[in-house]
Amino acid sequence: MPVNHSIHHRAGLDEVACRETLIRRYQHVRKFTERLCQPLLTEDYVIQAMPDVSPPKWHLAHTSWFFETFILAPASPGYRSPHPSYAYLFNSYYVAAGERHCRPKRGLLSRPPVEEVYRYRDCVDQHMTAFLDSLDGEKLERWSPVVELGLHHEQQHQELLLTDLKYNFGCNPLRPAYVKSDMPMPAPAVAPLRWTEFPEAIYWIGHGGHGFAFDNESPRHRCFVEPFELASRLITNGEYLAFISDGGYERPELWLSMGWDTVQREGWQAPLYWERCDGNWWMMTLGGMRPVREAEPVCHVSYYEADAFARWADARLPTEAEWEVAAMNLPVSGNFVEQQTFHPVPISRNDTALSVEQIYGDVWEWTQSHYSPYPGYIAAPGALGEYNGKFMANQFVLRGGSCATSLSHIRPTYRNFFPADARWQFTGIRLARTSGPA
Amino acid sequence: MPVNHSIHHRAGLDEVACRETLIRRYQHVRKFTERLCQPLLTEDYVIQAMPDVSPPKWHLAHTSWFFETFILAPASPGYRSPHPSYAYLFNSYYVAAGERHCRPKRGLLSRPPVEEVYRYRDCVDQHMTAFLDSLDGEKLERWSPVVELGLHHEQQHQELLLTDLKYNFGCNPLRPAYVKSDMPMPAPAVAPLRWTEFPEAIYWIGHGGHGFAFDNESPRHRCFVEPFELASRLITNGEYLAFISDGGYERPELWLSMGWDTVQREGWQAPLYWERCDGNWWMMTLGGMRPVREAEPVCHVSYYEADAFARWADARLPTEAEWEVAAMNLPVSGNFVEQQTFHPVPISRNDTALSVEQIYGDVWEWTQSHYSPYPGYIAAPGALGEYNGKFMANQFVLRGGSCATSLSHIRPTYRNFFPADARWQFTGIRLARTSGPA
Amino acid sequence: MPVNHSIHHRAGLDEVACRETLIRRYQHVRKFTERLCQPLLTEDYVIQAMPDVSPPKWHLAHTSWFFETFILAPASPGYRSPHPSYAYLFNSYYVAAGERHCRPKRGLLSRPPVEEVYRYRDCVDQHMTAFLDSLDGEKLERWSPVVELGLHHEQQHQELLLTDLKYNFGCNPLRPAYVKSDMPMPAPAVAPLRWTEFPEAIYWIGHGGHGFAFDNESPRHRCFVEPFELASRLITNGEYLAFISDGGYERPELWLSMGWDTVQREGWQAPLYWERCDGNWWMMTLGGMRPVREAEPVCHVSYYEADAFARWADARLPTEAEWEVAAMNLPVSGNFVEQQTFHPVPISRNDTALSVEQIYGDVWEWTQSHYSPYPGYIAAPGALGEYNGKFMANQFVLRGGSCATSLSHIRPTYRNFFPADARWQFTGIRLARTSGPA
Amino acid sequence: MPVNHSIHHRAGLDEVACRETLIRRYQHVRKFTERLCQPLLTEDYVIQAMPDVSPPKWHLAHTSWFFETFILAPASPGYRSPHPSYAYLFNSYYVAAGERHCRPKRGLLSRPPVEEVYRYRDCVDQHMTAFLDSLDGEKLERWSPVVELGLHHEQQHQELLLTDLKYNFGCNPLRPAYVKSDMPMPAPAVAPLRWTEFPEAIYWIGHGGHGFAFDNESPRHRCFVEPFELASRLITNGEYLAFISDGGYERPELWLSMGWDTVQREGWQAPLYWERCDGNWWMMTLGGMRPVREAEPVCHVSYYEADAFARWADARLPTEAEWEVAAMNLPVSGNFVEQQTFHPVPISRNDTALSVEQIYGDVWEWTQSHYSPYPGYIAAPGALGEYNGKFMANQFVLRGGSCATSLSHIRPTYRNFFPADARWQFTGIRLARTSGPA
């Protein structure tokens, strides 16, 4: 749920400009979802290779259902859904919005066909555009935050669409590619990891200014942070290979207890998508199979693996407060989905201008913080209050966005969260350590 | 595995006629598979709603792989598979034919796309036709039984294609229809069930004559059968409703122990595909949802339900020997897939000419016989020996074919088999009872 | 359920003698159960190492509950159970006798303590003895078959008590022993396996004479048996080791499909209780761990293993009719529980007087026959009708008794049955083969 | 792992006094374990009703193994374990200490018998006493913290012994009692819940002074706490009944997502051990079944239930820092195991002297804090480093001890932790809320 700063306050624009901006942004985000689907065949829209992922078709319909349910139905008098049964099929987890199809069975539905889902999107878009066009005054103020929420919601599903697709393709013995992969240039050697110090202080954490933010980023509050150091860049495949070579996956003393259990049960020996072929490590990417390149940030590791790596490296993962302290004054730029690399990239030479690099984009960075409410947090009433708050148990916070995230979707205060064993997102490792006494 | 009677012995034809018959049959059967797929959308080809069913795409490819693996590869010099990876993807359970994709994951593959699978079929068909054209003398005698086997194999998959599709559609809350269903005429009242007596004797059981048969139908052997009576027709929905109304699903004394456990665990209260709506029973058919009609044979019941019904009715299921004794002299005709009803039909007035009706077609009839080898049975060597023999544990024999079976596929000696809890085939009930002393 | 031949008909004795025989037998069987428990510590009575086994305490109480429920309660006016709650705790599977504690949780009950269970037995025994003493005329005729059933029931549980205890002890890393094991004398070499021929005929199968039998052994009926040969003795550990050495557990072509799945899933590489230590095979016995001796009959194999061994040996398992044909005229003697070997023993020299040896005792012999009703079989009404009939699916018949069976419990027509993957009974292998044309 | 303040520093005693104190404490704690077992029958020592609980026999042996492994073996030259196999049987989760028996199978071991476990304890105690008697100088300083750790470890297992026993007895349909329960006096009405305010500040959190503490309570560090209010007492059964009556278990909007899933899957409708009989709520206690009393603190609720109750009550659970701020200056006294109530008790009139009551004893209080390392936390090297640190994922912190905790075991900084769905400990609810702006 967004905090209550509607878009037209942000920029101080007048109502007309505000409405037009909203419409343009609506059209841009919605189109981008479809653009991401262009390389897909009809068959690719249907499947779901594990319960955590959803078929592309489902993402396309669910995001449309979101606008229909939370805007058109309550706000647009006389709107009738062309497919009332979709409320059951395409509700994800909003209990207050009614019964829903069970998640692990999303891939068992061949109908509605893809074509009909696109027609459904069109229908919702037409109604939404008309609705947005009609907004003014109090209604604009009332509904634009919900539209914003719907668009950020759709951007989250754009990222999932890519990671889910990667997982689906990764389970296919044919290892299909989503995009044509250029043979990348040899990467330059990566500079040694440096440590940047941050002093102890009471810091303000969380979202407090203008612009959109999810409810879990609020309230802005104070936090005492002991002095710490943060690694200057992400951990690379090369560094992670050293961990593997040093028996990282065979040494229980490096692991959390639940992590070690998971390693044993799942037989993990490397990050997700890595495969050993003829003595070399290869990896599945959205561009298909290719050799693991040492200079790239390591990716598709679970919290357990990130934590074990950190322990092996005599360091630890940062807390989310530490991460935010380091990130709050850095420019929000990096390797986002707009770059269309669809994979984390090696740090480039001219990135070394900042004390802390790669903080945005490339990979979501695991923090050691469990996902908990900020002091004074209150979830919104109704179904939209289920957006974030009800997941505050047994998840860890990740920060900074990835190569599958939209630049316009990320902020320094953004809190992503996943269970400790999740690996199918673009998740990586940044180290921290507690400063010793001088 | 077929017993060793090649097609040209059967009719005493000369070699040319025999070859032409084989080619015509090959083309007919292969075409029919594709005809059954005509109503499908691309999306329908991909999904698998439970491990026991397979995606239509998989059936199309697997049956082609069968001809490629067991005929083209060994018999057609110089043949190269256009897709060597398909050997892994589309092998079902032939361990001796190499590693294979695991069954419950067949629905997780969007690639190869449907179009490519059809191209693969075309390629196999072209090579097969050329190969068949070239057959003569010893080679004709050597390979025509394997071709026959492949065609019967494909006919089995045609039946599965329909039952799997029905299951997939039945899991979709939209309940799509495979064919347009005409509103059926009101059925005439069904005549009361009569009992036909058969005397005690040593009977010859199993396949012994000319023509194709699977290896599990041999050797032909003697069997002493005590005197028994067989019901004159199949059990109807109306009769099964009486069983339900009488607490059939709530009375453990009517059930086998494993059956009762299954009823409890699965929450069964009626045959598969039956749903209670506003006080009436409806059923999912290949023509979509429609009310349960009392005159139709009951269908989609497990062995456990058939057995419990029989106990409730003070009768029992026939043994497979008893069934064969009754069927061996009856004409092989009935409601087969060629009729395109895709559902069992009520017995018609003019069916009453025979002492035992509906013995072929409509529904597979559960027998009380576990699936075991006939005396002297020996499985063929090699991968084709896995066709039948290795399943001879914990399955029950069914007889007579169903509305999804091809007429040209069935015989009096045909032994189908499924586990006792399977319900997604067109399976129904015929009663028997042991004759008392005069 | 027994067929209806009461004990005093059997021997033609007068009523007094009949009653006294019944009482003596009652006391003998009941005492024997307790004698089998003498080596146990209190702790041993409580545990249950898998759902299929029951704690000794449970067996002691359940067999008493059986007499209480099926005799004292209905037949002894004024009898009041000292522990009405035991009806819930110690009913096994008699649904018609009321609700019951769930089987896998029998080992979670520390109360009632062992001492109280023995007091319960005493109480039942006192009432039963008084009741038996009072029986005459019609009442004796009415109740003696049920008493007989209760005693055979108790003898079955005596066998289970030993096999369950062995399983419990086998799961304990300390590998405790039930009895002190003498170092056995070196076994003489086992004579080569011979084949005994049996001609084709219509044979009478099943129980038809006087004396007790379970209901599943009836009705006596005719069965046509094709000519066959039966192995002269049981398969030995030495022969089974040859199967293992020849890759028996690694060759899928030797196995039934479900058997191969089980081998893979369970990681079977030898019979249950075998362990490889320093290059030698050892086995857990009721006398503790000791080396595998080649001359002994192989034991603790599943149906799947027996079937695979037979296929490897170019033979097959006998049908239960074949087994009965061979056994019907042989003397019922062998290595039974009275010998207190608690393990199968090597065939001795002077055993070679018979054409088929070791047919009774030592190990239950797997047959290839699924457990099905005989023609005309009807289960008894009421709870006792659940004794046998409701298990007639997905089980295989075993014949001949084992070293844990009482001599007074076995008959040529006795049908034991277990699922194909069960290994914790004393189960072994006898081969058969179909006679070829002369 | 304890922080490094050995016992003789604490009190400034000289070496002799320190050693004698240590020996007295050793003997006292060890004896108390056995005293807790006095009401048990031999059978009660053996069972394990779910994987999370352990048999009493196991607790007795494991705590002895702890002293043997971490003190006698490394520190007492020439010590030989009388039972080397116990290292396998009674290691809990110390991977660095070697292989171990798997946890869910602890209840499958009848051997070693109870008597032998007591002999093992005696043997360890004799060696430990001799060893402690011999300690002086550097060795005393080196080993006394490990002895202290062993004793606190044993006190933790004393608490588990009671809670596990309660669970085992609670699963027995006979509902046995551990102690005789006096009919309690009618409880006085509980005073209304008040809120105590705490101001915002940087607080010092964690253990920093003398005396024993586990490693997870360190380092002492600063924490900024926003202003908050804490409830003056625990939530009562009466208040929890109001939550139930108001549909607490049927309203998903009150629950965390994983909590709601758990409620559905497990069918929770009340705290663990509550049963509805004839319209009244009863509960299983260590004194057997008795009616739920409204004045008592609610107990045996999971984190999910505590969190849902708090949301229903327009409040929240405290963070562990808030709890510690409130508790740090309160006297450590309350209803501990020494009182032998074995159950939380209603607040008494004269308890109202403090602003916050019942903070120690009665029930462990769920906090909203996930269990995470304090800033600068480093686990000890070796097996003892596995004591706490490796569990820092997916658990919640509980504070204050319970009616099953020893008074000498608890501290303001003590951090207990359990998964969010655990209910078999004595766990209850204290509310907090964020102070609004004045």
Side-chain angles (χ1 to χ4, degrees), chain B residues 225-245:
Chain B
V225 177
E226 302 271 359
F228 70 100
E229 301 176 11
L230 200 70
S232 59
R233 58 162 173 75
L234 296 170
I235 294 302
T236 64
N237 285 332
E239 286 158 338
Y240 201 83
L241 279 165
F243 166 71
I244 296 177
S245 301

Side-chain angles (χ1 to χ4, degrees), chain B residues 109-148:
Chain B
L109 306 178
S110 60
R111 314 288 178 96
V114 174
E115 211 178 356
E116 192 175 307
V117 167
Y118 273 108
R119 277 199 299 270
Y120 173 56
R121 283 185 72 87
D122 278 351
C123 169
V124 166
D125 284 348
Q126 283 169 28
H127 282 88
M128 276 298 296
T129 309
F131 171 74
L132 294 176
D133 246 347
S134 76
L135 282 182
D136 53 16
E138 200 183 331
K139 282 184 74 178
L140 181 57
E141 198 160 341
R142 160 84 181 81
W143 290 106
S144 62
V146 189
V147 175
E148 274 285 344

Side-chain angles (χ1 to χ4, degrees), chain B residues 426-437:
Chain B
F426 289 95
T427 47
I429 307 174
R430 180 183 303 274
L431 298 183
R433 61 187 190 196
T434 303
S435 303

